[in-house]
Amino acid sequence: MRKLIVGSRRSQLALTQSQQFIDRLKEVDPTLDIEIKEIVTKGDQIVDRQLSKVGGKGLFVKEIQNELFSGDIDLAIHSLKDVPSELPDGLTLGCIPDRENPYDAFISKNHIPLEELPDGSIIGTSSLRRGAQILAKYPNLEIKWIRGNIDTRLKKLETEDYDAIILAAAGLKRMGWSDDIVTTYLDEALLVPAIGQGALGIECRADDEELLALLAKVHNEDVAACVTAERTFLKEMNGSCQVPIGGYATRKNDSEIQFTGLIMSPDGKQRFEYTFSGQNPVEVGSEVSRVLKSQGADKIIQALNEKEV
């Protein structure tokens, strides 16, 4: 096998999860020679505005994809929730490895439970999806925008006027944070996760047969089927980070996948949610999309997307 160059964002989390995946590849083939190339993306450069205000789709992947096309890197290791539902021609997701905890982690001062926060308490999140779902169930709380890496957000919880923050559990776990820091993990009954949350997407050139054969050895077919349902829903709904959209699929048995899709208005007052089970992940994701469109969910998406144009 030739020397492989891996493209990764420069963030500590991206580099850590890239190294963890490389270690997994080396378990399969200890002779592999792999180097990480750090790439700064547009999403990394914009730290003073909400991502939903600056375009959303592809903010963390476009520059990396350009390096795949140019041949400067051989594969890219993405957080799958950052990857648009449609890839450019010539690129493919060569592998979906094991999924980390897909839920959101609620972290509050003095470990006060979400349901016990006093009226007017401030929760920090940069996600419209999280904010809308919290406001829908706890309209007495306030959502305040927050950006930065895990350490930065935890520091802001200590030093600024936040009473709690919400982070992806997967990032905390991959960075080695103890469960003790988390007040509670919010499962899909309370907070439907982001599409692909907790999963990685390993992107490469579609004609790189040698690399695809290697990646197949660390591919998790069950996880791939679940995220296919989720990403089909994202594509069919034309979702983006301008839209409070969530979706989570699980394999219920050897043959069936159960998927819940969610569309909300940013203020949490409109909610469209539907759960469907089936054998084909593309059909499952498409059916949930069809039902939510019939209920009028696409009107929220259309209005929000037009607002950002």
Side-chain angles (χ1 to χ4, degrees), residues 19-32 34 98 214 217-218:
Q19 187 59 55
Q20 289 169 348
F21 180 73
I22 289 170
D23 292 343
R24 180 74 184 91
L25 282 180
K26 288 186 175 180
E27 289 175 9
V28 173
D29 183 352
T31 69
L32 289 172
I34 305 177
D98 297 347
L214 172 65
K217 297 177 181 178
V218 292

Side-chain angles (χ1 to χ4, degrees), residues 139-302:
N140 59 314
L141 303 179
E142 181 182 339
I143 300 297
K144 183 178 176 181
W145 171 70
I146 189 172
R147 283 283 308 279
N149 61 28
I150 294 172
D151 291 351
T152 299
R153 297 190 201 195
L154 290 171
K155 187 66 175 177
K156 287 182 177 181
L157 175 60
E158 289 180 15
T159 61
E160 299 185 17
D161 59 346
Y162 297 99
D163 298 289
I165 58 175
I166 301 176
L167 302 170
L172 289 168
K173 288 184 172 292
R174 289 191 177 116
M175 291 301 296
W177 286 92
S178 165
D179 284 347
D180 294 343
I181 196 174
V182 178
T183 305
T184 185
Y185 292 107
L186 307 175
D187 66 21
E188 72 270 28
L190 179 61
L191 213 65
V192 177
I195 305 294
Q197 186 159 300
L200 298 180
I202 315 304
E203 191 176 23
C204 64
R205 291 178 289 277
D207 61 358
D208 193 340
E209 295 182 5
E210 182 185 27
L211 178 55
L212 287 168
L214 172 65
L215 294 176
K217 297 177 181 178
V218 292
H219 181 66
N220 186 318
E221 189 56 48
D222 285 340
V223 174
C226 289
V227 299
T228 295
E230 296 170 18
R231 287 170 58 77
T232 298
F233 172 72
L234 180 67
K235 177 182 176 181
E236 294 287 332
M237 296 303 301
N238 192 28
S240 68
C241 69
Q242 288 101 324
V243 178
I245 183 170
Y248 181 51
T250 54
R251 187 170 281 288
K252 304 313 281 185
N253 51 52
D254 288 343
S255 62
E256 281 208 327
I257 292 169
Q258 179 176 293
F259 172 63
T260 297
L262 173 77
I263 303 289
M264 296 189 70
S265 59
D267 61 8
K269 293 180 179 178
Q270 291 179 280
R271 183 186 188 100
F272 298 87
E273 184 175 346
Y274 185 66
T275 300
F276 181 74
S277 297
Q279 296 184 346
N280 184 305
V282 173
E283 292 175 0
V284 169
S286 295
E287 176 60 14
V288 173
S289 172
R290 186 193 67 78
V291 170
L292 292 192
K293 284 179 180 178
S294 73
Q295 296 174 355
D298 54 331
K299 292 181 175 60
I300 289 180
I301 295 174
Q302 185 177 357

Side-chain angles (χ1 to χ4, degrees), residues 130-143:
R130 292 172 182 147
Q133 291 185 81
I134 292 295
L135 289 175
K137 295 190 178 183
Y138 299 99
N140 59 314
L141 303 179
E142 181 182 339
I143 300 297

